Amino acid sequence: MLRFIGLRLLQAIPVLFTVITATFFLIRQAPGGPFDAEKPVIPAVKRALEAKYNLDLPMWQQYTNYLGDLLRGDMGPSFKYPGWAVHDLIISGLPATAELAFYALMVAIVIGVLAGVSAALKPNTARDYVPMSLAMIGICMPTFLLGPLLVLIFGFWLDWLPISGWGDLPGDKILPSFTLGAAYAAYVARLTRGGMLEIMSQDYIRTARAKGLPEHIVVIKHALRGGLIPTIAFLGPAFAGLLAGSFVVETIFQIPGLGRFYVQAAFNRDYTMILGTTIFLSTLIIVFNLLSDLLATWMNPKLRHQMSHRSGGQS
Amino acid sequence: MVLDRIKFVALSCFIAAVLLIGGCSRGESNVSQGNREQVFHKSNNAEPQGLDPHVVTGVAEHHIVQALFEGLVSKNPHTLEIEPAVAESWALSEDGKVYTFKLRQNANWSNGDPVTAHDFAWSWWRALQPALGSQYVFMYFPIKNAERYFNQEVIDFDEVGIKALDDYTLRVELANPTPYFMQLLDHYSTFPVHRATIEKWGKPDESYTPWTRPENIVTNGPFVLDEWRLNKHLMVRKNDAYWGADQVRLQKIVFYPYESGPIVERMFRAGQLHYTYETFIDRLPWYRANKPDYVQVAPYAGTYLYRVNTTKPHLADKRVRKALAMTIDRQKMISTILNDLFTPAYAITPPGLLGYQPPKLFDYDPDAARALLAEAGYPNGEGFPETELQYNSSEQHRKIAIAVQQMWNKELNINIRLQNKDWKVYLDDEQTGNYDISRGGWIADYVDPNSFLDMWVSGSGLNRTRWANPRYDELVLQRAPEAKSREDRYAAFYAAETMIMQDMPFIPIYTYSSHHFKHPAVRGMPPNIMSYYNWRYVWLDPDWSDAKPQQQTALSGGI
């Protein structure tokens, strides 16, 4: 098991290196620089600014300098917010984004698993069709539509919930969490239904029933464990996706998170910030993929068995 | 994890409770609480880049820096006339070149130090250090030898026309008489900074050191920095050490970095904001019909225009440029797609800049335009190459570009290709001349026609049309500054503007309006052409609701 984790972490190094290198050179190819503005900067001022950020050095030297700094844990100052180091900005935005992603994931799991299980238990009845059709709508409906719609209904018509903010007013985290979680809830529901349908026709479920176990014990103790494996495998990438993709929701609800920094950094040609957030999010994606693989292994006796007998790099 | 689980359980219960029972009290809104406690909530469109007056450049920063720092003079928000701030009086020499400022003796820094003439001399020296990278350094260039010192052609700062004669007397010598010089002293790039604080946290010419962090910063304005939470809010509170603290009625101002648009409009409607950076234009008709006293619209010293690349063969002919200008039905466009917010523009300077009136040399006239185009060799648009109209990504720019494209196609029978570009790409293409026609805009830095006219002199980084005329340069750079009276000066500007409008290297479209959502309780923010206000005068009237008892509820309920 340790070897499996170690190997996966080793594999992550070339992946991250490629991400850093590609990002470093690609953003510098984009037209316009970080100091371009409506009012052109006086040449002497521009030279001073470029010297401050070492932009006057040859490209390869900027690159090696950056890698060196990165190894020492220094991502440099942001171009757009020069008073702050990139890691300050990431740390300032991370709690809100992580919290939002976590709640959204919870929303996705609770709603998705309940809907998926209930659909799988009565396949091809109304209890299947209704939640699955809703799930389809959930997948299709973009967050930039769902968010304002929820705001309109719960914020203005019913006047139940705050329409923006994060941790300022009681209940202001509900609408953003729902908005972000809805699409993922839909995916989870479909994956759970699929997984459960397959499991429910297995021999060991028939055995469990034959033992005379009540249906809810069969479902909860025996079927869920296997039926949720596709869902679990999906959760790692989903959480990383939630973290990286919360930009729209953060904008709609004015949440001081990481997503807005990430997208604005690209518009601003904030080289260090783009690199910093990209590296950070890539690392997260790698880690969460690993975690969800570990979790799936732990839940699936077949895989667990394989792993303890001949460990290898299968993922 | 335990905490997360508890939070999750709590959240689920809360969601369930809300969905099942419905209706939970949201407490008092920011606005009504703020009205009572004099806390002003303002959306500011962007996270401030920084707070160093000599380094920052944006409008969002401007509003905050104005609360924190104060220059020699400020403006009256009603008349825009200059009035005393740190300087209590000043005198101008006969030849119009030497200003002597008397500083008030009760002006203090927030740590109790007195604000002296030496603070100004040192601050201005700092702003002129090339390594600091002050992008507004040109504000100092009217001062004798300032530009040469900045370019290191003069090494000794004593040769620059800035001298502290004693603690409370500052002498400023200009290169030429500069009638708008006093206006520049109300610009944040000329505000003083606290020397000891800056030197404590870094070199004087080092930008973005931690001296502006809430725990370090020392300021001299009506407010001090209270709290700065990235991407959430920036809060300032009243500065009790400020010389005019008796007049300051607001206790706190909260600046939110929210970008203008439908979201900010919703927040305003929900009573979370007193004042917004701008309105959301699509909602204006509703406000005009239902809540006219929640909107403040005023003409603004800014012009929306299309730059024309005069080096492109077919656009090099001024008859073509004129034909294009004459086939834009500005009034129709403004009333159909811009909610009547702006006024048509036929010159670069907006009307009413301290008495200056721009020339109007053309009007909407498709027939004359077609004749001009035929004269230029494109009868009925035949042979006119497909021309690209570029704009930076924005819904409003897109709408205007589509309207213009259709008007030109219909009236002149020419093909226009629209090109939507990311901001930095758009800027890069404009600066390198890689465009045919490009959207632009200009907002005055100070109240004077010069702010609109000196950008078109040859070699100006803002010109970007490759148009140049030595006669124009002479009028703007020599005749106007050396004019003996305001009439002579305006006459030179008028001649210059007439010249450029005859050549039309850019096509003026409309004069901007400033437009804000503004709660009726807000006092001391009158409309004016610069959308200028002085935090010293702003306050909130807690009794406003007695006069209009239904407003608040109707506002939060109406969609």
Side-chain angles (χ1 to χ4, degrees), chain B residues 143-146 157-163 171-174:
Chain B
I143 299 174
K144 188 182 156 198
N145 282 335
F157 189 70
D158 282 343
E159 288 180 45
V160 181
I162 301 167
K163 294 271 175 315
R171 182 179 182 277
V172 182
E173 187 178 346
L174 308 182

Side-chain angles (χ1 to χ4, degrees), chain A residues 117-155:
Chain A
V117 169
S118 109
L121 293 181
K122 300 266 182 220
N124 305 324
T125 64
R127 251 176 74 183
D128 182 12
Y129 293 138
V130 172
M132 285 307 115
S133 311
L134 283 175
M136 213 54 226
I137 294 173
I139 290 171
C140 296
M141 187 182 289
T143 45
F144 60 78
L145 175 62
L146 182 63
L149 210 61
L150 291 178
V151 165
L152 201 62
I153 296 170
F154 293 99

Side-chain angles (χ1 to χ4, degrees), chain A residues 211-268:
Chain A
K211 284 195 295 190
L213 287 178
E215 187 68 10
H216 67 272
I217 301 283
V218 175
V219 171
I220 293 169
K221 263 193 91 171
H222 297 274
L224 261 184
R225 191 163 207 189
L228 282 184
I229 286 171
T231 310
I232 299 289
F234 170 73
L235 288 184
F239 189 65
L242 283 167
L243 278 174
S246 58
F247 165 68
V248 176
V249 175
E250 286 180 17
T251 305
I252 294 172
F253 295 97
Q254 300 292 352
I255 297 169
L258 200 56
R260 298 175 68 202
F261 276 138
Y262 192 29
V263 175
Q264 282 164 5
F267 289 135
N268 295 328

Side-chain angles (χ1 to χ4, degrees), chain A residues 1-14 286 290 294 311-313:
Chain A
M1 196 61 150
L2 276 177
R3 197 165 151 221
F4 168 75
I5 298 174
L7 262 174
R8 286 287 297 267
L9 288 178
L10 273 181
Q11 283 170 359
I13 293 172
I286 291 171
L290 177 61
L294 289 175
S311 34

Side-chain angles (χ1 to χ4, degrees), chain A residues 30-42 44-46 48-49 52-53 79-85 88-89 92 99 102-103 106-107 110 147-148 151-152 154-174 177-178 251-258 260-261 264 266-269, chain B residues 1 4-5 7-8 11-12 14-15 18-19 21-26 28 46-50 130-138 141 150-151 206-209 213 228 230-232 257-259 263-264 266-267 269-270 272 307 422-431 439-443 445 461-462 464 556-559:
Chain A
F35 307 122
D36 285 331
E38 175 89 53
K39 282 193 190 76
V41 180
I42 296 173
V45 173
K46 194 162 181 176
L49 289 170
K52 184 177 157 77
Y53 289 96
F79 281 74
K80 175 75 181 172
Y81 304 107
W84 307 93
D88 285 337
L89 295 172
S92 83
E99 208 185 336
F102 177 76
Y103 292 152
M106 289 302 140
V107 168
V110 171
V151 165
L152 201 62
F154 293 99
F156 284 111
W157 289 348
L158 300 174
D159 199 17
W160 288 357
L161 291 167
I163 57 157
S164 69
W166 189 254
D168 300 327
L169 295 166
D172 63 4
K173 295 179 180 176
I174 297 177
S177 307
F178 253 96
T251 305
I252 294 172
F253 295 97
Q254 300 292 352
I255 297 169
L258 200 56
R260 298 175 68 202
F261 276 138
Q264 282 164 5
F267 289 135
N268 295 328
R269 304 287 188 273
Chain B
M1 270 325 275
D4 283 347
R5 209 175 295 156
K7 270 191 183 167
F8 166 61
L11 181 87
S12 325
F14 194 55
I15 292 172
V18 168
L19 291 181
I21 306 156
C24 71
S25 155
R26 253 204 271 144
E28 196 178 12
E47 176 68 28
Q49 270 196 294
L132 184 69
S134 168
Q135 298 190 34
Y136 265 111
V137 69
F138 59 85
F141 290 172
F150 175 75
N151 289 326
E206 203 179 336
S207 55
Y208 296 108
T209 64
R213 299 281 171 92
W228 185 2
L230 275 173
N231 252 0
K232 198 161 171 70
Y258 308 146
E259 246 171 271
I263 297 153
V264 165
R266 281 202 303 266
M267 296 179 64
R269 201 152 20 112
Q272 296 188 40
R307 282 187 174 84
D422 159 66
W423 175 241
K424 295 277 184 177
V425 178
Y426 150 87
L427 280 179
D428 194 58
D429 284 347
E430 206 176 63
Q431 271 151 17
R439 182 213 79 85
W442 185 250
I443 313 262
D445 282 323
L462 284 163
R464 299 177 205 157
S556 53
I559 290 293

Side-chain angles (χ1 to χ4, degrees), chain B residues 324-463:
Chain B
L324 293 174
M326 289 162 75
T327 37
I328 299 174
D329 189 346
R330 293 164 177 75
Q331 192 57 60
K332 186 175 164 194
M333 183 166 82
I334 290 165
S335 47
T336 50
I337 57 177
L338 298 170
N339 284 322
D340 277 317
L341 186 58
F342 307 110
T343 45
Y346 298 94
I348 180 68
T349 55
L353 271 186
L354 293 179
Y356 177 82
Q357 290 302 331
K360 184 181 178 189
L361 302 178
F362 71 97
D363 211 334
Y364 173 64
D365 188 349
D367 291 330
R370 273 187 290 270
L372 275 172
L373 197 67
E375 234 177 84
Y378 307 104
N380 192 28
E382 281 159 30
F384 195 86
E386 192 187 42
T387 302
E388 185 182 288
L389 169 55
Q390 72 155 6
Y391 56 93
N392 55 302
S393 310
S394 138
E395 186 53 27
Q396 193 179 326
H397 300 331
R398 193 182 66 86
K399 277 190 201 165
I400 294 168
I402 290 173
V404 169
Q405 177 194 39
Q406 285 170 351
M407 288 174 189
W408 283 346
N409 183 266
K410 179 170 159 255
E411 302 295 351
L412 300 175
N413 192 29
I414 59 175
N415 274 330
I416 301 294
R417 189 175 64 249
L418 300 185
Q419 188 68 51
N420 166 27
K421 290 179 181 172
D422 159 66
W423 175 241
K424 295 277 184 177
V425 178
Y426 150 87
L427 280 179
D428 194 58
D429 284 347
E430 206 176 63
Q431 271 151 17
T432 54
N434 180 26
Y435 73 98
D436 295 338
I437 300 173
S438 176
R439 182 213 79 85
W442 185 250
I443 313 262
D445 282 323
Y446 45 87
V447 199
D448 192 271
N450 193 58
S451 190
F452 287 92
L453 294 173
D454 74 351
M455 61 192 276
W456 304 104
V457 301
S458 20
S460 154
L462 284 163
N463 184 326

Side-chain angles (χ1 to χ4, degrees), chain B residues 131-389:
Chain B
L132 184 69
S134 168
Q135 298 190 34
Y136 265 111
V137 69
F138 59 85
M139 289 286 185
Y140 289 90
F141 290 172
I143 299 174
K144 188 182 156 198
N145 282 335
E147 185 167 7
R148 295 179 62 208
Y149 178 81
F150 175 75
N151 289 326
Q152 290 166 328
E153 293 156 18
V154 165
I155 303 301
D156 189 355
F157 189 70
D158 282 343
E159 288 180 45
V160 181
I162 301 167
K163 294 271 175 315
L165 299 182
D166 59 48
D167 280 358
Y168 296 102
T169 314
L170 184 73
R171 182 179 182 277
V172 182
E173 187 178 346
L174 308 182
N176 287 306
T178 311
Y180 58 90
F181 182 68
M182 293 300 286
Q183 296 272 347
L184 305 183
L185 298 182
D186 185 37
H187 191 273
Y188 54 88
S189 58
T190 64
F191 286 180
V193 289
H194 191 249
R195 179 174 182 172
T197 308
I198 288 176
E199 289 181 337
K200 185 177 168 192
W201 295 102
K203 295 200 296 280
D205 61 356
E206 203 179 336
S207 55
Y208 296 108
T209 64
W211 81 269
T212 52
R213 299 281 171 92
E215 60 275 21
N216 308 334
I217 193 168
V218 173
T219 60
N220 76 323
F223 294 86
V224 290
L225 185 57
D226 195 36
E227 189 183 52
W228 185 2
R229 292 180 63 189
L230 275 173
N231 252 0
K232 198 161 171 70
H233 65 236
L234 184 147
M235 192 156 35
V236 300
R237 74 182 134 76
K238 187 176 169 180
N239 177 9
D240 294 320
Y242 177 64
W243 61 269
D246 296 349
Q247 304 164 27
V248 179
R249 292 170 77 170
L250 287 182
Q251 293 299 317
K252 276 184 179 175
I253 310 168
V254 191
F255 297 92
Y256 300 92
Y258 308 146
E259 246 171 271
S260 301
I263 297 153
V264 165
E265 190 272 332
R266 281 202 303 266
M267 296 179 64
F268 176 76
R269 201 152 20 112
Q272 296 188 40
L273 298 166
H274 281 107
Y275 190 80
T276 65
Y277 182 86
E278 58 188 10
T279 64
F280 175 50
I281 294 188
D282 294 356
R283 292 286 293 170
L284 270 182
W286 184 87
Y287 276 88
R288 284 201 183 109
N290 299 290
K291 302 282 156 218
D293 51 344
Y294 282 77
V295 191
Q296 177 165 300
V297 177
Y300 193 40
T303 305
Y304 190 98
L305 53 91
Y306 281 162
R307 282 187 174 84
V308 184
N309 187 344
T310 59
T311 59
K312 298 277 170 171
H314 64 296
L315 299 171
D317 190 327
K318 68 179 177 188
R319 289 170 298 194
V320 170
R321 302 197 293 263
K322 276 189 180 165
L324 293 174
M326 289 162 75
T327 37
I328 299 174
D329 189 346
R330 293 164 177 75
Q331 192 57 60
K332 186 175 164 194
M333 183 166 82
I334 290 165
S335 47
T336 50
I337 57 177
L338 298 170
N339 284 322
D340 277 317
L341 186 58
F342 307 110
T343 45
Y346 298 94
I348 180 68
T349 55
L353 271 186
L354 293 179
Y356 177 82
Q357 290 302 331
K360 184 181 178 189
L361 302 178
F362 71 97
D363 211 334
Y364 173 64
D365 188 349
D367 291 330
R370 273 187 290 270
L372 275 172
L373 197 67
E375 234 177 84
Y378 307 104
N380 192 28
E382 281 159 30
F384 195 86
E386 192 187 42
T387 302
E388 185 182 288
L389 169 55

